[in-house]
């Protein structure tokens, strides 16, 4: 049995370090720096083999005044699968009335409610002081308050390695997600915070995660052309949730390129300016590859609302949600672009919670093409509650929602195996933990992807560190857990499952190669895609089966596409592990 052997007062004292502020002009020399937010926050750093030194400078004349009595600022290392406050390792510099500042090593163990709320049974969630403060991970170098300049400065150092995995995050020589926040009075910071991806091996604009693939040097060497798919001056309505669609014709290789040329999409990225009102409303993009007739034709002349539309298309080419990274395909994989498969529909989900009127959006998706034939054609499989079968049902906090893609579906694959090379889990505001597990012959094989500390603002779409082989007869389980208090503390009513950001989802997009097809051909001889494996209501009595098929069967799925399997019957917990938030080793006692 483990017990906490440090009293809370002792913990706070052990985790805190006091020092006299130094003048802003005394900021040490650093090897690199990056603007985290223009005119507000700049991070400086010097990276060594085993440690790093930071200097965080905040400028806000409205907060940092001569009358301020309890100024503070915080620097955090975000949870790597989300980058949000949940699961973050945080250090705070806290200034009082006297000529001192206090450094406190903190962490966010579970949830992040606004301070002062009644959520979670009390004072609201808060970065807790570390229990292992007797050997602080962070060391104070200097701190400063300059009311004349409106600046706060905190200089700290720490080892790259995590002191205790239960309460500390490692810092890597490369891309990390850093958070900052500040205020007067140690309370909820409101909008005075941001999370930014920073590459500690770079400098200046090249270090931040907001650059495009080309500027970051991440564009594949075989890219020969790019195309911007832009929402053309779309007027966002005042309703909270809007799904808008626009159709595009993707460019083919130039005439005379040769008979062996085969164009493929090999990278994709979102072009969204989050500093604008419109950009802040963009919640996600879905890019569908469609036939020229039908769904694509509806939006070929102008974009329109498509909230209630069934996208009867071939494949999902790419998915992006708020905070996600660009997708760069493996060097031997690409989505095909042919005369038949060049008709794309971009679905944009806008979230307008305050009903702002007159906002026009021109956000884009940027696709990058290679004309050098790559070995494998990619596809996607949407799993979990991908068809929102729970629509309208209230979300229950603390419940494990598991959705199974059963072996009866994958056993129909024509391919002897497919490879999962990327994944994107998806939920909304109350998501707490999400994961996708693979089972074979009834036994757990591995977790494909997991987010132990979910953040709606920092969703993830990236290559997996290790590819997963999916065989016919394998079973996939997507699980989601929610904490409804994350929004009931602010908005009152618990959410229901549905399409809006204020509602909930539980799904995962698996990017795979080769494109999976099912054994029996669809009408007209075109291959039946395995693009969705998700629960669906099979009648008006609430009977649930599994839809196993392609997007073209959305409107009226043929009987062979629906399996009489209850996809929600089996809960799953295997494979999701996270040391962070567990009892720290320094407090273990027999």
């Amino acid at each position: 049995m483990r017990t906490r052997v440090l009293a809370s007062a002792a913990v706070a004292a052990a985790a805190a370090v006091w020092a006299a502020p130094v003048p802003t002009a005394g900021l040490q020399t650093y090897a690199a720096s990056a603007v985290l937010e223009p005119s507000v926050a700049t991070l400086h750093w010097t990276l060594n083999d085993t440690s790093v030194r930071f200097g965080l400078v905040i400028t806000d004349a409205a907060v940092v005044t001569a009358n301020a009595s309890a100024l503070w600022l915080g620097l955090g290392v975000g949870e790597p699968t989300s980058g949000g406050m949940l699961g973050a390792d945080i250090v705070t510099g806290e200034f009082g009335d006297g000529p001192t500042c206090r450094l406190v090593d903190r962490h966010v163990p579970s949830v992040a409610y606004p301070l002062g709320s009644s959520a979670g049974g009390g004072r609201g969630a808060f970065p807790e002081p570390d229990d292992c403060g007797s050997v602080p991970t962070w060391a104070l170098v200097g701190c400063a308050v300059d009311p004349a300049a409106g600046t706060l400065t905190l200089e700290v150092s720490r080892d790259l390695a995590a002191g205790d995995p239960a309460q500390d995050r490692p810092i890597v020589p490369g891309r990390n997600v850093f958070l900052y926040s500040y205020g007067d009075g140690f309370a909820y910071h409101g909008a005075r915070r941001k999370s930014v991806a920073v590459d500690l091996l770079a400098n200046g604009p090249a270090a931040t995660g907001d650059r495009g693939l080309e500027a970051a040097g991440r564009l594949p060497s075989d890219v020969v052309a790019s195309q911007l798919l832009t929402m053309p001056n779309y007027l966002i309505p005042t309703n909270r949730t809007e799904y808008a669609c626009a159709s595009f014709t993707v460019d083919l290789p130039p005439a005379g390129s040769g008979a062996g040329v085969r164009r493929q999409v090999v990278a994709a990225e979102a072009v969204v300016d989050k500093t604008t009102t419109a950009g802040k409303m963009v919640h996600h993009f879905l890019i569908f590859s469609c036939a020229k007739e039908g769904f694509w034709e509806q939006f070929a002349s102008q974009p329109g609302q498509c909230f209630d539309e069934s996208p009867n298309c071939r494949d999902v080419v790419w998915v992006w949600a708020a905070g996600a990274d660009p997708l760069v395909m493996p060097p031997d994989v690409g989505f095909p672009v042919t005369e038949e498969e060049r008709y794309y529909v971009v679905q944009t989900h806008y979230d307008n919670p305050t009903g702002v009127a007159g906002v026009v959006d021109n956000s884009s998706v940027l696709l990058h093409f290679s004309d050098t034939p790559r070995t494998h054609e990619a596809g996607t499989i949407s799993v979990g509650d991908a068809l929102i079968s729970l629509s309208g049902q209230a979300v229950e906090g603390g419940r494990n929602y598991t959705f199974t893609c059963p072996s009866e579906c994958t056993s129909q694959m024509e391919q002897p195996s497919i490879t999962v090379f990327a994944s994107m889990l998806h939920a909304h505001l109350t998501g707490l933990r999400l994961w996708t597990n693979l089972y074979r012959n009834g036994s757990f094989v591995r977790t494909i992807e997991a987010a132990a500390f979910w953040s709606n603002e920092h969703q993830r779409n990236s290559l997996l560190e290790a590819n997963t082989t999916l065989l016919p007869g394998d079973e996939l389980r997507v699980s989601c857990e929610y904490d409804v208090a994350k929004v009931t503390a602010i908005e009152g009513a618990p959410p229901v499952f549905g399409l809006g950001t204020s509602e909930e989802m539980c799904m995962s997009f698996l990017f795979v190669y080769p494109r999976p097809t099912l054994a029996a051909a669809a009408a007209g001889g075109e291959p039946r895609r395995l693009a969705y494996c998700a629960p669906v209501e099979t009648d008006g009595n609430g009977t649930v089966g599994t839809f196993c098929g392609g997007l073209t069967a959305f409107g009226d799925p043929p009987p062979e596409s629906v399996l009489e399997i209850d996809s929600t019957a089996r809960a799953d917990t295997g494979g999701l592990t996270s040391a962070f938030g567990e009892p720290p080793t320094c407090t273990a006692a027999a």
Side-chain angles (χ1 to χ4, degrees):
M1 180 178 179
R2 289 185 168 184
T3 58
R4 294 185 178 270
V5 297
L6 297 176
S8 59
V11 169
V17 178
W18 291 83
V22 298
T24 301
L27 187 71
Q28 295 194 13
T29 300
Y30 289 88
S33 65
V35 175
L36 303 185
E37 185 173 357
S39 304
V40 176
T42 301
L43 184 66
H44 307 265
W45 67 90
T46 296
L47 179 66
N48 299 307
D49 291 341
T50 60
S51 64
V52 60
R53 176 166 46 89
F54 292 110
L56 174 63
V57 180
I58 298 294
T59 303
D60 190 335
V63 174
V64 186
T65 67
N67 297 323
S69 60
L71 291 167
W72 62 274
L73 72 165
L75 175 66
V77 184
E79 198 274 330
T81 63
S82 66
M85 186 175 177
L86 277 68
D89 177 7
I90 293 174
V91 63
T92 54
E94 303 164 21
F95 302 86
D97 293 327
T100 58
C101 69
R102 184 175 75 141
L103 188 78
V104 184
D105 192 356
R106 300 179 179 273
H107 66 286
V108 183
S110 56
V111 293
Y113 307 115
L115 281 173
S117 79
S118 60
R123 62 188 178 87
F126 197 59
E128 299 286 350
D130 282 7
D131 293 299
C132 300
S134 57
V135 185
T137 305
W138 300 87
L140 183 65
V141 176
C143 52
V145 178
D146 188 342
T151 60
L152 285 171
T153 301
L154 177 65
E155 295 185 89
V156 292
S157 65
R158 59 155 283 179
D159 292 339
L160 297 179
D164 191 303
Q167 298 181 342
D168 301 317
R169 293 284 179 195
I171 297 175
V172 300
R175 183 185 182 277
N176 300 263
V177 179
F178 293 111
L179 307 86
Y180 76 84
S181 57
Y182 65 98
D184 181 20
F186 206 32
Y188 179 51
H189 45 64
R192 295 186 296 272
R193 50 88 175 169
K194 194 171 183 181
S195 172
V196 181
V198 178
D199 185 352
L200 296 182
L201 297 176
N203 186 24
T208 58
D210 295 332
R211 299 173 303 140
L213 290 173
E214 184 174 12
R218 296 180 54 208
L219 207 59
S221 59
D222 60 344
V223 166
V224 296
S226 301
Q227 187 173 351
L228 202 62
L229 311 183
T230 301
M231 289 299 292
N233 297 314
Y234 191 78
L235 179 62
I236 303 173
T238 57
N239 48 285
R240 170 86 194 244
T241 300
E242 171 80 348
Y243 279 61
C245 287
S247 295
F248 302 88
T249 304
V250 179
D251 296 336
L252 292 174
S257 297
V261 172
R262 188 176 68 201
R263 174 155 287 186
Q264 294 170 315
V265 177
V266 297
E269 55 189 312
V271 182
V272 180
D273 186 352
K274 286 292 185 178
T275 66
T276 67
T277 301
K280 292 175 182 177
M281 293 182 183
V282 178
H283 176 268
H284 80 233
F285 292 124
L286 264 173
I287 298 88
F288 297 100
S289 173
C290 307
K292 189 176 181 180
E293 300 77 21
F295 185 69
W296 184 88
E297 283 184 315
Q298 289 182 248
F299 310 102
S301 58
Q302 63 180 15
Q305 185 269 345
C306 55
F307 184 86
D308 298 317
E309 300 290 338
S310 295
N312 301 331
C313 299
R314 290 186 177 90
D315 289 290
V316 172
V317 177
W318 189 53
V319 184
W320 176 90
D325 289 335
L327 178 64
V328 178
M329 311 288 280
D332 57 347
V333 180
F335 285 99
V337 178
T338 66
E339 183 61 50
E340 294 76 24
E341 297 189 66
R342 59 183 303 207
Y343 303 102
Y344 285 10
V345 174
V346 176
Q347 179 200 80
T348 306
H349 173 189
Y350 295 105
D351 182 45
N352 189 356
T354 58
V356 180
V359 179
V360 176
D361 182 51
N362 290 280
S363 296
S364 306
V365 171
L366 182 59
L367 303 179
H368 303 283
F369 309 110
S370 171
D371 290 349
T372 302
R374 292 187 170 193
T375 305
H376 302 292
E377 291 187 346
T380 58
I381 307 177
S382 299
V383 291
D385 192 19
L387 302 177
I388 322 295
S389 68
L390 298 185
S391 180
Q393 296 186 29
V395 178
E396 299 177 30
R399 174 181 168 183
N400 180 313
Y401 289 86
T402 294
F403 303 90
T404 301
C405 175
S407 60
E408 289 87 344
C409 180
T410 63
S411 63
Q412 299 180 46
M413 289 194 312
E414 290 186 301
Q415 291 72 21
S417 69
I418 61 174
T419 298
V420 182
F421 66 88
S423 169
M424 182 171 180
L425 293 161
H426 187 62
H428 289 161
L429 296 171
T430 66
L432 188 63
R433 305 196 306 165
L434 285 70
W435 64 99
T436 304
N437 284 340
L438 170 65
Y439 286 79
R440 185 167 295 150
N441 299 321
S443 299
F444 171 77
V445 176
R446 60 167 297 178
T447 297
I448 296 176
E449 186 180 19
F453 297 87
W454 176 257
S455 169
N456 178 67
E457 296 179 347
H458 308 93
Q459 305 202 28
R460 179 180 171 185
N461 181 353
S462 59
L463 297 177
L464 301 176
E465 293 183 1
N467 291 341
T468 297
T469 300
L470 183 64
L471 303 179
D474 282 354
E475 182 178 288
L476 295 163
R477 302 182 196 169
V478 180
S479 297
C480 298
E481 295 176 354
Y482 304 90
D483 190 342
V484 297
K486 290 168 68 176
V487 297
T488 55
I490 305 169
E491 300 180 3
V496 298
F497 288 93
L499 294 172
T501 304
S502 59
E503 298 171 322
E504 265 306 344
M505 293 184 175
C506 177
M507 62 182 68
S508 178
F509 299 90
L510 302 179
F511 296 83
V512 304
Y513 68 86
R515 284 198 291 183
T517 54
L518 302 177
E526 186 169 319
R528 286 180 60 211
R529 309 282 189 205
L530 175 53
Y532 274 75
C533 183
V536 63
E537 188 172 330
T538 59
D539 54 33
N541 301 317
T543 304
V544 176
T546 294
F547 175 76
C548 176
L551 294 168
T552 53
F554 253 9
D556 185 19
E560 66 268 19
S561 295
V562 179
L563 305 175
E564 295 182 0
I565 301 293
D566 183 355
S567 299
T568 62
R570 188 181 310 176
D572 181 47
T573 56
L576 179 63
T577 59
S578 175
F580 199 91
E582 295 297 317
T585 56
C586 68
T587 63

